[in-house]
Amino acid sequence: MTLYEGALDTAIATGAEPVGAVITRGGTSVASYIQPLADDIEIVGAPGETNLEAVLASQPDIILAPGWTSPQQYRLLSLIAPTVAPDVPPYQSDSWIRETRIFARALGREAQGEAAIDKVQRRIAEVAKLVAANVPEGQRDAAIVRWMPQGALVMSPGIFSATLLAAVGFDVSDAGLVNAGRPHSHPLSEENLSAIDQSWLFLATLNKDGKEALDAASRSPAFRRLQAVENGQVVAVDGQEWTSASGPLVAGQILDAVAAAVSGRKP
Amino acid sequence: MRRTMTTRPQSVCTKAFGLAVLVLLMTAGASLILGAGPVPIADALAALGGGGSEEARFVLVELRLPRLAVGITTGLALGVAGALLQALTRNPLAEPGLLGVSAGSAFAVSLAIMLGASTVTLTTLVAQGGALAGCSFVIAAARMKGLGNDPIRLVLAGATLSGLLLALTSLLMLADQRAADEIRFWVTGSIAGRQWPQLLAALPTLLLGGVIVVAVAQPLASLTLGERVAVGLGQHPGRVRLLVVLAVALLVGAATALAGPLVFVGMVVPFLARALAGADIRKTLWLCLPVGPAVLVLADTVSRLVAAPSELPLGVVTALIGAPVLLAIVRARRMPTL
C-alpha cells in the first residue's frame, strides 16, 4: 500500500506490486506516466487525506507513507500494517535517493532499488553531456514555474525535478521567492514575473498537458516579455511529473523531456 | 440617524459628488503608482508623464491600466446594482454579494467553465443568466410575507442561498479537479491579470444595464414612496420591479464575469452614497458612480500592497472592509426599511 507518489514510483520501479495508492495532486487517479504500470490500482485517498477504511479493507502487508505523516496518522496506520514513513529532510538534492533506499529496503528489494538508482544516475550523465554540448555556458539559468489562474508559482530548487535539472547542469533559481522548507512560492503578482526572467523556463500546470499552461501564460503580456519566451526556450512540461511526483521512474520521464528540449526536438 | 435619511439640498449633493470624484481620481492615481512589483514610485510617476523606464511604462500601461479600467467598471456596476437592490427590497443591508445574486452568477460561470467554456463573451452572458436567477429568488423572498419586511431575515435567506450555491460550486470542483483551480480563483474574486478583451466583452450588456437604470430611476423613486403612491403617480410597480431586476442582473453578471463574486461592495457603496447625499434613490445612484469605483480600486490597491510579491485576493479585502460596515449598520440600528 503506497500513500505517497514517491513510494508508488519506487515500489513499481523495484518490481513490487502495490495494492493501493493516492491520487496525484489535482488529478483523479495516479499520475498518467505511471497509470499503465499500476493498472486497476485501488485509490485510497488524496495526498494527505487517506481513507483509512479503504486502506484497512485492502489488507496490505506493508504501508509506505510520506515523510510528513503526522504521529497520530502514523499510529493509526501502524495498527493496520507495519508502516514506513521515511525520515528524510525534504527538498535536498539526494532526498529521492535516500527515500528510494528506505522504501526498497522496507519492501526487501534493496538490490532492485540500487539498480533503479543507478539507471537514473547513468541517464543523468547522458543528459548532462547533451546539455554541455547544446546549451552554452552562461545560458543555463532556469526556473520551474507552475502556471495557476491566480498567478505563477515558482517551484523550489529543492523539488525533485529541479534537483534533476541541476544534476544535468542547469542553474535552477527561485529568485529568493520560495521560503525555506516550502515546495513553491505564493502565487506571484503579474508585476513580479520579471523576477523569474531566466534563460530557460520550464512551465507546468497540475494538468497533464503543459501546453495548456503555455496557452494560458501566453495571454499574459508580462509573460510574453520574458527572455525565455523571446528566445523560444520555454518548455511546456507535465505538472504531474514535474511538480508533484518523485522516484526513479518519473526521473526517466523528466530527463527525457530535458534531453528533448535541449536537443531542439519535441518531447 | 434620521439625518441621513432626509433629502439634502442640491448644493450639498453637488459638493458630495465633487468630493467623491476627487477621491476616485486620487485612488485611481494611487492604483497606477503603487503595486506589488519592483517599480519605484518615482519611476512610476515619471512613466505617468510619458517618461520613466521601459519597465515602468510596461507595468503601468499593460498591467495596471487595464486592471484599473476593470476595477472602475466593476465598482460602478456593483455600487449601482447594490443601490437598486436596496431600494427595491427596502433593505439597507441588501446587496448582490449577500443575497445570492453574485453567488448565482459565479455558480453559472463555474458550471460553464467545467463544461469547457472559454470565450470571454460567453462567460459574461452566462454570469448574467446566473445573476438573473439569483435576483429572481431575492425578489420572490422579499415579497414573501414576514421575510421581506424584516431586513435581517431577508439577508439571512440570501446568505442561505449564497451558502447553498457555494456548496454546489464546491461540488463541481470536486467533480472536476482540472477546472477546480480556475473555479476556486473565480469564487474568491480578483481583478488581477484582467485585460481589455474581458472588459470589452462585458461593456455592451453593461451599457444596456445603464440605459435601463436611467429609464427606471424616476419610477423607482416613486415606488420607494409606497406602492399606492406610485400607482397614484401613474407608475406600474410590477413593470418597474421587472426592469430593476433585469438591470441588477446585467450589472452584477458583468461584474462577476470580470472579477468573480465580490461581497460587501454593493452594500458599502450605497451606504456611503446615502450618508453623503441622503436617501433619494436618484441621488444615491449618482453618488454611486464615483464612490463604487473608488471603493473597489482602493480595495484592489490594498490587495496588491499587503502581500507583495504576491497578492491578496480582492474578495478577501472587500470582505475585510465590508464586514465591519455591516456590523456598524446593524449595531447603530440604522435599520429603517427604506
Side-chain angles (χ1 to χ4, degrees), chain B residues 190-203:
Chain B
S190 171
I191 55 170
R194 294 294 184 276
Q195 287 293 326
W196 298 111
Q198 278 111 324
L199 184 59
L200 286 179
L203 271 188

Side-chain angles (χ1 to χ4, degrees), chain B:
Chain B
M1 177 214 100
R2 277 327 285 178
R3 204 165 53 92
T4 59
M5 303 308 295
T6 51
T7 308
R8 296 189 176 178
Q10 199 62 41
S11 64
V12 176
C13 292
T14 317
K15 271 186 203 156
F17 189 79
L19 178 72
V21 170
L22 191 68
V23 172
L24 171 60
L25 287 176
M26 279 159 58
T27 48
S31 88
L32 285 176
I33 293 163
L34 306 171
V39 178
I41 294 179
D43 200 1
L45 278 172
L48 213 52
S53 67
E54 197 254 336
E55 170 81 14
R57 280 201 303 276
F58 169 79
V59 168
L60 251 69
V61 175
E62 297 287 336
L63 301 183
R64 292 184 191 166
L65 193 61
R67 187 169 173 171
L68 172 63
V70 169
I72 287 176
T73 313
T74 312
L76 204 132
L78 287 178
V80 170
L84 289 176
L85 260 188
Q86 292 179 0
L88 193 66
T89 57
R90 300 172 171 227
N91 181 346
L93 297 182
E95 71 117 357
L98 278 186
L99 288 187
V101 182
S102 304
S105 187
F107 175 70
V109 172
S110 303
L111 199 62
I113 289 177
M114 204 187 97
L115 295 174
S118 52
T119 66
V120 280
T121 329
L122 180 68
T123 308
T124 311
L125 293 176
V126 169
Q128 286 166 333
L132 190 60
C135 220
S136 312
F137 169 85
V138 174
I139 300 311
R143 293 180 67 72
M144 236 182 267
K145 262 215 160 75
L147 194 59
N149 300 332
D150 184 343
I152 295 189
R153 286 179 68 191
L154 180 62
V155 169
L156 284 179
T160 312
L161 177 70
S162 286
L164 180 70
L165 287 168
L166 282 177
L168 285 175
T169 309
S170 301
L171 262 182
L172 287 185
M173 289 197 260
L174 281 177
D176 186 349
Q177 291 279 335
R178 283 211 207 201
D181 276 321
E182 204 152 329
I183 296 174
R184 198 174 296 127
F185 182 55
W186 263 96
V187 171
T188 332
S190 171
I191 55 170
R194 294 294 184 276
Q195 287 293 326
W196 298 111
Q198 278 111 324
L199 184 59
L200 286 179
L203 271 188
T205 46
L206 265 179
L207 286 176
L208 181 62
V211 170
I212 299 178
V213 174
V214 171
V216 93
Q218 179 69 41
L220 182 61
S222 321
L223 200 59
T224 53
L225 297 173
E227 205 145 313
R228 267 191 220 156
V229 181
V231 173
L233 289 170
Q235 307 293 354
H236 304 271
R239 207 181 294 166
V240 174
R241 260 185 221 109
L242 196 69
L243 282 174
V244 171
V245 166
L246 196 61
V248 170
L250 289 173
L251 295 172
V252 176
T256 311
L258 283 170
L262 294 172
V263 277
F264 291 123
V265 179
M267 184 185 68
V268 172
V269 172
F271 174 75
L272 290 174
R274 260 197 309 277
L276 286 167
D280 187 324
I281 178 67
R282 286 159 297 187
K283 285 179 183 148
T284 308
L285 286 173
W286 268 113
L287 254 295
C288 284
L289 296 182
V291 173
V295 167
L296 201 106
V297 169
L298 184 68
D300 183 51
T301 310
V302 170
S303 83
R304 41 184 141 137
L305 288 182
V306 287
S310 33
E311 298 186 8
L312 218 58
L314 175 59
V316 173
V317 179
T318 61
L320 285 177
I321 295 176
V325 177
L326 173 69
L327 285 178
I329 299 177
V330 175
R331 279 195 56 97
R333 284 189 245 152
R334 286 174 192 269
M335 296 294 302
T337 43
L338 289 175

Side-chain angles (χ1 to χ4, degrees), chain A residues 23-28 146-151 177 185-192 194-195 206-209 212 219-225, chain B residues 31 34-39 54-55 58-59 62-64 67 174-179 181-185 192-195 304 308-311:
Chain A
I23 58 170
T24 182
R25 216 163 250 132
T28 50
R146 191 199 284 163
W147 196 267
M148 308 283 275
Q150 54 268 55
L177 292 165
S185 71
H186 294 293
L188 204 57
S189 165
E190 215 183 0
E191 292 185 13
N192 283 315
S194 53
L206 277 181
N207 299 349
K208 193 172 84 62
D209 191 0
E212 225 171 82
R219 287 196 286 273
S220 153
F223 179 80
R224 289 197 295 268
R225 283 175 95 227
Chain B
S31 88
L34 306 171
V39 178
E54 197 254 336
E55 170 81 14
F58 169 79
V59 168
E62 297 287 336
L63 301 183
R64 292 184 191 166
R67 187 169 173 171
L174 281 177
D176 186 349
Q177 291 279 335
R178 283 211 207 201
D181 276 321
E182 204 152 329
I183 296 174
R184 198 174 296 127
F185 182 55
R194 294 294 184 276
Q195 287 293 326
R304 41 184 141 137
S310 33
E311 298 186 8

Side-chain angles (χ1 to χ4, degrees), chain A residues 123-159:
Chain A
R123 184 66 179 137
I124 287 176
E126 285 169 23
V127 178
K129 272 192 206 137
L130 262 180
V131 172
N134 290 334
V135 185
E137 229 173 304
Q139 289 180 30
R140 292 179 194 157
D141 50 319
I144 305 176
V145 168
R146 191 199 284 163
W147 196 267
M148 308 283 275
Q150 54 268 55
L153 298 183
V154 185
M155 306 304 291
S156 157
I159 66 161

